Amino acid sequence: MMSMIARPLLVAALLAVTATASIAQSQSETIAVPTLRASVTVADDIVRVGDLVDNAGSAASIAIYRAPDLGTTGTLPVAQVLTTLRARQIIGVDTRDLKEVTVTRLARTIDTKEIEQQVARALERRHGLGNAADIALTFDRDPGDVRLEATSTGALQPIAVRYDPRSTRFDVSFEIGNDAGSAPVKLRFTGTAIETVEAAILTRSVERGDVLKGSDVVIERRPKAEVGSDAAVRDSAVGMQVRRQLGAGRALRVADLAKPDLVTRDQNVTLAYQNGGLYLTIRGKAMDNGAEGDVVSVMNLQSKRVISGVVTGRGEVSIAVATPRPVPVADTDASTSAPVKLSSVAPNAE
């Protein structure tokens, strides 16, 4: 009888123990242990308990530190963090044997290059300025890299653009919207703006008549007002002859250049006569300077007569010879017409 009564009591006791263990396990799964994080990123200027501690519960929104400067990272010793948490009745935090916690503040960075591009676009084609890519800016104060709150995600919208072409001064203001619904950020930049062009620049001083080589010319951007509207292109300048003396660093203009002289005054040249299949050359003396295609006066050294010809090569002048007209025939059908004999005509060598 004792054993029969004891068995049901034992089963009841086991059931009670099992139920207690199950409840304890359920509670341990529901209540997670607060755990310190090794690194933290924040989007505003305040660090809260929930930023530093996982499973912080209702204490997560409590502000405990000021965040680092925009776009920078700072460190917090774990001992200091625990002291701060205890002061707010937050205990039992698992530190995972960490020695310090790093805190990074998110930011939007607008670098100097982007600022220059945006200002140039705002000034583009205003008051005589050209394309944004051709505008050179000088700021009154170096803008550096501008850091904004990470929530300031809007584009730089110009809201005020002023430019004085006489003084070349600009004053441009931008507005940047944000995702937080707060007032937009305003940025203002002042300075001078000038339009530039690519110009062919001399690397050395040259004398009148010098022919430019590739090493004599480089490409640089210069103010359009300095170069003028007829700036020479480097590829076209190389191989050309300068019309006057020019100093090193000078921007070349189209008016400064000419085709190189292939014939110079008092130079012995070859006079070339050509008529059909007949080609004759004799010696001559140039009376003028001339580039390819120029008409110059030349003395025929054989006849001592001065004639005109076209410069066709270095030291070569071509003389045009008039082609003789055939003798007209009165009536080609008349059988009584006497045959006409055409004699060959030698070129007039003057």
Side-chain angles (χ1 to χ4, degrees):
M1 292 292 293
M2 293 289 293
S3 61
M4 292 177 64
I5 295 172
R7 186 173 180 180
L9 292 174
L10 179 59
V11 172
L14 290 172
L15 289 173
V17 171
T18 302
T20 302
S22 177
I23 292 170
Q25 180 179 359
S26 177
Q27 289 177 341
S28 66
E29 292 176 352
T30 303
I31 304 174
V33 177
T35 305
L36 197 63
R37 293 175 178 168
S39 61
V40 177
T41 56
V42 295
D44 55 26
D45 59 349
I46 298 296
V47 179
R48 295 173 172 80
V49 172
D51 296 323
L52 296 175
V53 180
D54 285 325
N55 308 316
S58 60
S61 61
I62 299 174
I64 53 175
Y65 289 110
R66 289 193 61 82
D69 291 337
L70 286 167
T72 64
T73 298
T75 59
L76 290 171
V78 169
Q80 182 190 107
V81 173
L82 292 178
T83 300
T84 302
L85 292 175
R86 289 193 193 99
R88 288 159 178 78
Q89 289 76 48
I90 303 168
I91 60 175
V93 177
D94 181 3
T95 63
R96 298 186 298 165
D97 295 328
L98 296 174
K99 300 300 181 185
E100 63 182 17
V101 177
T102 61
V103 181
T104 300
R105 185 173 178 185
L106 299 177
R108 175 188 176 183
T109 301
I110 305 176
D111 61 24
T112 303
K113 183 177 180 180
E114 183 178 355
I115 292 171
E116 290 177 351
Q117 291 174 342
Q118 293 297 332
V119 171
R121 287 173 186 169
L123 295 171
E124 186 174 41
R125 301 192 180 283
R126 288 178 180 262
H127 304 289
L129 289 174
N131 296 327
D134 297 329
I135 298 175
L137 302 172
T138 302
F139 291 88
D140 290 335
R141 180 180 298 176
D142 183 6
D145 293 345
V146 176
R147 289 191 174 92
L148 307 174
E149 296 286 355
T151 54
S152 296
T153 58
L156 275 74
Q157 296 290 344
I159 57 174
V161 180
R162 290 184 289 274
Y163 179 71
D164 184 348
R166 290 174 298 179
S167 65
T168 71
R169 289 198 58 77
F170 69 84
D171 187 338
V172 179
S173 295
F174 296 95
E175 191 173 85
I176 304 173
N178 60 80
D179 298 334
S182 55
V185 175
K186 295 186 187 318
L187 299 175
R188 180 185 176 190
F189 304 99
T190 60
T192 58
I194 58 173
E195 186 175 358
T196 64
V197 295
E198 283 192 347
I201 308 299
L202 287 172
T203 60
R204 66 177 180 89
S205 296
V206 293
E207 300 295 329
R208 182 179 182 275
D210 283 356
V211 176
L212 298 176
K213 304 186 292 295
S215 59
D216 296 333
V217 186
V218 295
I219 291 294
E220 290 182 7
R221 278 203 165 272
R222 292 289 178 88
K224 185 176 180 180
E226 172 190 324
V227 178
S229 58
D230 64 339
V233 179
R234 181 184 183 278
D235 291 345
S236 300
V238 174
M240 298 292 278
Q241 183 174 316
V242 295
R243 295 180 182 272
R244 56 197 177 94
Q245 184 181 28
L246 298 171
R250 175 70 178 265
L252 290 169
R253 301 184 180 187
V254 174
D256 296 328
L257 306 173
K259 291 181 180 179
D261 289 337
L262 299 181
V263 169
T264 57
R265 181 181 176 86
D266 295 331
Q267 176 188 358
N268 288 333
V269 298
T270 299
L271 297 178
Y273 294 86
Q274 186 169 2
N275 181 23
L278 184 62
Y279 185 79
L280 174 67
T281 61
I282 60 176
R283 293 177 59 203
K285 181 179 180 180
M287 311 298 292
D288 307 303
N289 295 340
E292 184 177 5
D294 288 349
V295 176
V296 295
S297 296
V298 184
M299 176 183 289
N300 183 329
L301 294 179
Q302 184 175 348
S303 65
K304 304 301 181 182
R305 296 184 61 184
V306 176
I307 54 178
S308 296
V310 178
V311 178
T312 54
R314 187 167 296 282
E316 182 177 289
V317 178
S318 292
I319 307 298
V321 177
T323 304
R325 296 180 180 180
V327 177
V329 179
D331 186 358
T332 57
D333 294 332
S335 60
T336 57
S337 298
V340 177
K341 182 178 181 181
L342 298 177
S343 59
S344 61
V345 180
N348 182 8
E350 302 294 335

